[in-house]
Amino acid sequence: MSILKQFAVIARPYWFSRASTITWLILIATVTLSLLLVQVMVKLNLWNKQFFDALAALDGPVVYQLLMEFIGLVAIIVVMKVYAKWLQQWVEIRWRTWLTERFVTRWLGGRNFYHLTLTEEPDNPDQRIAEDIKLLTTDTLELFLGLIKSIATLTAFSVILWNLSSDFLLPLFDDVKISGYLLWLAVIYSILGAGVTHFFGRKLHRLFYQQQKREAHFRARLLRCRDSAEQIALMNGQMREKEQLDARFSDITTNWKALMGREKKLGMVVNTYHQIAAMVPYFAAIPALMAKAITVGGLFQVRMAFMKVYSSLSWFIFRYDDLTRWSATVVRLAQFIDAMDECEALAKQKDDTAAATSGMTGLACQQLSIQRPDGHQLLTNVNLQVDIGGSILIRGASGLGKSTFLRTLAGIWPFYQGNYQQPSINTLLLPQKPYLPQSTLRECLSYPLVPTNEDEIYLAALDHVGLSSLKSKLDVDTEWQLKLSGGEQQKLALARALVLQPDTLILDESTSNLDEPTAHALIAKLRTLLPYSTVMMVSHQSHLVELFESVFELNTPIQTNSPAPA
């Protein structure tokens, strides 16, 4: 029941919204085709009786006439099945598109993608968005439409089976009659099969969940290895990486073998159950055939009707693998939603409890206390103010919380008490290792804004930071993070600041890979070219002190001092 509640949380927002109107129409058309297909199968059931009766009577003209009718029935069945599948896929992609957009929006919105990494993030959110949503939409529709078809088939063929077996004598009991005997036999047989199937397959949910998780871990490890290719190569760490990849893949194979074993046991049960079922209607109808209560054609009609009823009642058995995989997918997506709910609740709590910042101007904070996600106190009662257009250098021992302090003032760190203020939302924080998206150099320089066609802005920025050699590659699309050295990446990030012209520029060891003269020259040029930007920087490079109006020392977790002139 909890799985169904979790599924409702995921599915309800789409299927009860106006965005799903067209999808509902397509789904109704799909269901209609499936129901019409059941009616054609009823017609085929009657055809079976007529054909085998004609065959037993050696009635050639009727046999050939029925063969032509069979060709028409097959053509109708093929067309209906193809279009039912096509419509189903249309529903899948519309639902998947909406879900993907919703999940991506929530994940990136409100910085959930970052805040999740600070807490107990569900494993591999990328896999949950890319693969689990696909599995959810596909499996849900397969199961739903299969269930609808099974109910319709059961309804139609139960009547046929009841009527066909109303006068059957029980095997081994020539004088005992039970109305609808074959229908009751199909029901009892299916209930027993469902119980046995669940007994052998109940552990599949956990195994499917673990398999999806371990597959995602392995892919993430491969991606991390590729992203850090240069560092691994420099440290000659490829053998260690291989050992770790082998260990991840070993986890996959171990769980896969457990899954194989469980599915083998379930397969033995399901296949035995199915093979026996194929003979049950023959065994049950033989007394009626011998007593000439039915014809040979009637025997085949009984078999088809029995198998249709049995298959419909056995929907749970034949879909057991799909149901366990579906339930594992629902749980993974529900966990992802719960994690984002917690992040958003924390952000809302900050918004609701934030006090007014009266009397504060520029970039400022009052009584600001900062913690790690686990509650460990980093800084307490920090008071700071930088006027608009001013500059300040933040210094302190490693590990004290300087970077976290900057991230708090930039508005992305949620674990704090007190007040802070930014002069505008146009704030740019450049970390020690800059982010360069896989794109053109123009887009890297404009990130996160959309690039323009004004080449002069980009060429001038590259000139100012000493990257003139890249001016001819402005529209080259490549992985610049892998192409450029650490120092070149930091220069490119500073060029980004010149392109974006932020009101507030926060630099976190943004020149650590540059030599002292180059770092000094670039920061000086930055201060000249961005005269109206408020600049705050964390750096251990003491030669940069003279470029800032004041210096703020972070020395202890209990911080009450104010900035001192540089």
Side-chain angles (χ1 to χ4, degrees), residues 127 131-132 135 139 201-215 255-256 258-260 262-263 266 319-329 332:
Q127 187 259 359
E131 185 174 337
D132 288 348
L135 288 175
D139 289 348
R202 65 190 185 281
K203 294 182 180 179
L204 281 174
H205 169 83
R206 178 182 58 82
L207 292 172
F208 272 120
Y209 179 89
Q210 288 297 325
Q211 192 67 24
Q212 288 173 258
K213 180 178 180 179
R214 295 180 185 192
E215 294 279 6
N255 194 79
W256 183 262
L259 196 58
M260 287 170 54
R262 184 55 53 177
E263 287 190 320
L266 183 61
R319 288 293 191 174
Y320 198 88
D321 273 6
D322 297 332
L323 283 167
T324 51
R325 183 181 63 200
W326 175 83
S327 64
T329 302
R332 287 177 59 77

Side-chain angles (χ1 to χ4, degrees), residues 330-387:
V330 170
V331 169
R332 287 177 59 77
L333 288 174
Q335 289 174 341
F336 191 26
I337 290 175
D338 289 342
M340 290 192 290
D341 286 343
E342 291 179 8
C343 284
E344 290 166 1
L346 178 61
K348 186 176 185 301
Q349 181 183 12
K350 289 298 179 185
D351 292 341
D352 292 342
T353 58
T357 54
S358 57
M360 297 170 62
T361 60
L363 183 63
C365 62
Q366 290 179 345
Q367 301 296 307
L368 185 64
S369 297
I370 302 173
Q371 303 84 33
R372 291 177 182 165
D374 60 6
H376 176 77
Q377 195 73 27
L378 290 174
L379 299 168
T380 303
N381 298 331
V382 180
N383 297 288
L384 175 67
Q385 182 166 323
V386 185
D387 293 333

